[in-house]
Amino acid sequence: MFRPISRRTMLRGCGAALALPLMEAMVPSAKADQRLAKPPLRTGYFFMPNGVNERRWRPEGNDERFELSPTLAPFKSVKDKLTLLENLTNQRTAGRNGHWPKVPAWLHGGFVKRNAGSDIDVGGISADQVMAAEIGNQTPLPSFELGLEPTRSGVDNAGGGFAMLYGSHLAWRDPHTPVPKEIVPQLAFDRLFRTASAGPVVSGFNPNQPAVTNALQRDDLSVLDAVSEDVWLIKGKISSADRVKLDEYMESVRAVEKRIENSLKPQKRWINAGRFDIPRPGPGIPKDHREHVKQMLDILALAYWTDSTRISTFMIGDAQSGRRFDFLDGVNNYWHGLSHHQNDASTMAQYTKVIEWNVAQFAAFCEKLDSLKEGEGTVLDNCQLLYGCSIRDGNKHDIDDLPLLLAGRGAGTIRSGRRIVSPKKTPMCNLHRALMERMGVKKDNFGDSTGVLQLA
């Protein structure tokens, strides 16, 4: 029997830049009865900015008899595991800036405060973090936040005076604290499997200083507690933009501590038969955006397959994404600019190509999950993956009838392969409550919800 490793030992020996898989040395005894009897349910949120081409998104037909629209055509092989959701909205974003406040509200429906970055307030906790707070201790990674673009700082004065930080984060631990997303494939991969060499617990603070060393003698004390006084002193001497960056960094340390803490506990894990291997990515961000997207989605599929996490967010692009898609034939402008198409035929054609390429990447991800056998079904069967936007059309910035689709069968709890047309202006938070309940998290109220969307 292995001698259990203390939390202090793991924190001091591994630093604050890793996530650990469950290892035998971390638990008193790794027994077969620690395995789950059936596959777990995973929830994923996939955010695409800048809206869609409405005419090519909406399908023909009703309920189970709908036909895939041109934009949704890539889902042909998994159509029976797709649910189209219509007439959902976030009314608290009505009449506000076209992009920035709508991004965080996508996952909690709250009212986002206009500010210059010093008093961030998104008005709620994101649905993924509500779930992670209650059931995240069941996996080494309570939640997994991925993206493709770096966080932006500053204020968009032309866009209503909102901090651009709002448009760079989906996951919010509380109304004032975003959960940093990982955009480097190698670092995302390493969160799942790779340990780091010994080093400082918090960059910029020496763990050999007496105050920190003494604090770490207590297994129940957070590293952040040990340096909290120094952090407050620093906050009083830096700009509001740097305070935001420091808060983001401290939140990332907090998340690592939580992952380590979870790894120290006996956790019932689902163990898939067979293998699903991907090579460890090289350093940095691939120059080819196509390769970047593929690597990040492969890593997320691996996270699901290994039961390293059951809750995830993926930002396909940040608010007002300026990414260029020059690899697509005929596309010669940036994404946000194309979204303001003004119904110009040439611009609309480019805008549509960008949208449909991104949707196709998610469809390919779903196909991959559906090819991975798990229990009596597939990994996709044991998922509920929400894909969509916080505005309907990039040119109008409208918030009613958001483009949303749900992939997966929710471990048998979702009657998929149909359209669900809700009454107009139904709160999107009704959907969040439905997804939460399937994860074992029941909330009588969430955001502006008026009930629970029926998915069965």
Side-chain angles (χ1 to χ4, degrees), residues 101-338:
K102 293 179 172 62
V103 175
W106 196 65
L107 284 189
H108 61 61
F111 183 86
V112 177
K113 182 179 178 181
R114 181 184 280 103
N115 62 75
S118 59
D119 52 350
I120 294 293
D121 187 343
V122 298
I125 302 172
S126 58
D128 64 303
Q129 292 305 299
V130 171
M131 288 187 279
E134 292 204 21
I135 63 170
N137 61 353
Q138 297 174 7
T139 54
L141 289 169
S143 60
F144 199 22
E145 294 76 33
L146 300 176
L148 300 170
E149 297 181 323
T151 298
R152 281 176 286 178
S153 60
V155 176
D156 182 9
N157 291 316
F162 285 92
M164 290 187 284
L165 174 74
Y166 285 146
S168 298
H169 297 280
L170 276 185
W172 290 78
R173 185 176 62 84
D174 60 48
H176 316 288
T177 312
V179 182
K181 63 182 186 292
E182 184 55 70
I183 66 173
V184 180
Q186 187 181 91
L187 299 182
F189 182 93
D190 288 355
R191 285 193 185 185
L192 302 181
F193 303 114
R194 187 176 177 85
T195 60
S197 58
V201 175
V202 179
S203 177
F205 297 96
N206 186 345
N208 296 318
Q209 289 177 347
V212 176
T213 303
N214 292 338
L216 290 175
Q217 300 304 312
R218 289 179 51 193
D219 281 352
D220 62 340
L221 187 63
S222 166
V223 171
L224 300 183
D225 294 333
V227 299
S228 60
E229 184 175 348
D230 294 315
V231 170
W232 280 111
L233 288 174
I234 290 173
K235 278 190 171 183
K237 300 177 181 179
I238 59 179
S239 68
S240 59
D242 283 341
R243 284 198 295 273
V244 170
K245 292 178 182 178
L246 181 60
D247 286 341
E248 278 193 289
Y249 179 75
M250 298 305 284
E251 173 58 24
S252 69
V253 175
R254 189 191 313 276
V256 170
E257 283 197 314
K258 190 67 175 178
R259 291 195 295 270
I260 294 174
E261 182 181 332
N262 288 351
S263 294
L264 297 175
K265 300 174 182 176
Q267 297 164 310
K268 289 193 174 184
R269 303 278 298 280
W270 172 256
I271 308 298
N272 270 308
R275 298 183 65 86
F276 170 48
D277 296 324
I278 63 172
R280 181 174 182 244
I285 296 175
K287 293 182 179 179
D288 189 325
H289 180 64
R290 293 166 291 188
E291 181 61 22
H292 190 192
V293 172
K294 180 182 183 301
Q295 288 185 12
M296 297 302 273
L297 289 175
D298 281 349
I299 291 165
L300 182 54
L302 188 61
Y304 289 165
W305 171 259
T306 57
D307 198 18
S308 295
T309 193
R310 297 170 195 162
I311 303 163
S312 66
T313 57
F314 191 105
M315 292 195 76
I316 296 160
D318 294 0
Q320 293 191 7
S321 172
R323 182 171 298 282
R324 304 185 77 92
F325 291 79
D326 298 342
F327 55 84
L328 297 177
D329 185 40
V331 177
N332 53 30
N333 203 340
Y334 63 98
W335 196 354
H336 178 235
L338 291 171

Side-chain angles (χ1 to χ4, degrees), residues 20 124 159 224 281 327 396 413 418 448 453:
L20 302 175
L224 300 183
F327 55 84
K396 296 183 291 187
T413 67
R418 63 188 178 121
D448 61 350
L453 193 68

Side-chain angles (χ1 to χ4, degrees), residues 51-56 70-71 325-335 337-358 393 395:
V52 300
N53 181 338
E54 299 177 88
R55 293 189 295 273
R56 292 178 63 88
T71 299
F325 291 79
D326 298 342
F327 55 84
L328 297 177
D329 185 40
V331 177
N332 53 30
N333 203 340
Y334 63 98
W335 196 354
L338 291 171
S339 72
H340 290 274
H341 49 77
Q342 297 183 347
N343 293 314
D344 173 76
S346 174
T347 307
M348 179 66 86
Q350 295 180 63
Y351 176 53
T352 300
K353 284 186 177 182
V354 171
I355 293 164
E356 295 186 353
W357 183 86
N358 281 286
D393 177 271
N395 197 52

